[in-house]
Amino acid sequence: MKDKFFKFYANLPMNLRKEIVLDLGADQGGPITWEVAYREINADTELGKKILDKLVELKFIPTE
């Protein structure tokens, strides 16, 4: 899934990368921009795993 996320992110226009993509709630990280998602997923953090799971669940990242 990480590879699919990185391909998707690479094709995002630069101005969209600063936009909020999801909000995990105040207790789990709050609003997440594409840039934050990239850093967390790339660093393989627990937050990054939650973000990636949520992006797949919301069908931002295709599973096929």
Side-chain angles (χ1 to χ4, degrees):
M1 282 300 124
K2 282 175 63 171
D3 289 339
K4 289 183 181 189
F5 170 79
F6 292 135
K7 282 183 183 181
F8 185 86
Y9 183 83
N11 289 309
L12 276 176
M14 296 296 272
N15 60 330
L16 284 182
R17 293 179 182 185
K18 295 187 185 309
E19 297 291 324
I20 294 172
V21 64
L22 58 98
D23 188 348
L24 296 177
D27 60 330
Q28 293 186 12
I32 306 293
T33 64
W34 285 106
E35 289 176 334
V36 170
Y38 177 86
R39 284 196 307 269
E40 294 293 331
I41 292 168
N42 191 46
D44 231 5
T45 65
E46 283 301 313
L47 179 57
K49 292 173 188 172
K50 287 181 188 178
I51 293 168
L52 189 57
D53 288 344
K54 194 66 170 175
L55 290 175
V56 170
E57 179 184 324
L58 294 171
K59 299 186 180 182
F60 280 106
I61 309 302
T63 55
E64 295 136 14

